[in-house]
Short mmCIF file of all heavy atoms in Angstrom, two decimals:
data_model
loop_
_atom_site.label_atom_id
_atom_site.label_comp_id
_atom_site.label_asym_id
_atom_site.label_seq_id
_atom_site.Cartn_x
_atom_site.Cartn_y
_atom_site.Cartn_z
N GLY H 41 102.85 98.84 101.27
CA GLY H 41 102.72 100.10 100.55
C GLY H 41 102.16 101.20 101.42
O GLY H 41 102.58 102.36 101.31
N ARG H 57 105.17 118.85 89.21
CA ARG H 57 106.42 118.32 88.66
C ARG H 57 107.53 118.38 89.71
O ARG H 57 108.27 117.39 89.90
CB ARG H 57 106.83 119.11 87.43
CG ARG H 57 108.07 118.58 86.73
CD ARG H 57 108.33 119.33 85.43
NE ARG H 57 109.54 118.85 84.77
CZ ARG H 57 110.00 119.31 83.62
NH1 ARG H 57 109.33 120.28 82.99
NH2 ARG H 57 111.09 118.81 83.08
N ALA H 85 94.98 114.66 89.01
CA ALA H 85 96.05 115.52 88.51
C ALA H 85 97.41 115.01 88.95
O ALA H 85 98.37 114.95 88.16
CB ALA H 85 95.83 116.96 88.97
N ASP H 87 98.13 111.96 89.78
CA ASP H 87 98.36 110.68 89.10
C ASP H 87 98.94 110.91 87.71
O ASP H 87 99.85 110.20 87.28
CB ASP H 87 97.04 109.91 89.01
CG ASP H 87 97.25 108.47 88.60
OD1 ASP H 87 98.06 107.77 89.25
OD2 ASP H 87 96.60 108.03 87.63
N PRO H 112 77.76 87.34 112.67
CA PRO H 112 77.78 85.94 113.09
C PRO H 112 78.88 85.17 112.36
O PRO H 112 79.04 85.29 111.15
CB PRO H 112 76.39 85.43 112.70
CG PRO H 112 75.96 86.34 111.57
CD PRO H 112 76.54 87.68 111.90
N ALA H 156 93.49 90.10 116.84
CA ALA H 156 92.59 88.97 117.06
C ALA H 156 93.17 87.71 116.44
O ALA H 156 93.80 87.76 115.38
CB ALA H 156 91.22 89.27 116.45
N SER H 157 92.94 86.58 117.10
CA SER H 157 93.40 85.31 116.54
C SER H 157 92.52 84.17 117.03
O SER H 157 91.95 84.22 118.11
CB SER H 157 94.87 85.03 116.93
OG SER H 157 95.03 84.97 118.34
N VAL H 187 93.45 83.84 106.94
CA VAL H 187 93.00 82.54 107.39
C VAL H 187 93.93 81.49 106.80
O VAL H 187 94.16 81.47 105.58
CB VAL H 187 91.54 82.26 106.99
CG1 VAL H 187 91.11 80.87 107.48
CG2 VAL H 187 90.62 83.33 107.55
N PRO H 190 94.25 75.39 105.64
CA PRO H 190 93.40 74.26 106.05
C PRO H 190 92.12 74.67 106.76
O PRO H 190 91.21 73.84 106.93
CB PRO H 190 94.32 73.47 107.01
CG PRO H 190 95.70 73.93 106.71
CD PRO H 190 95.56 75.36 106.29
#
Side-chain angles (χ1 to χ4, degrees):
R57 184 174 179 179
D87 192 53
S157 60
V187 180

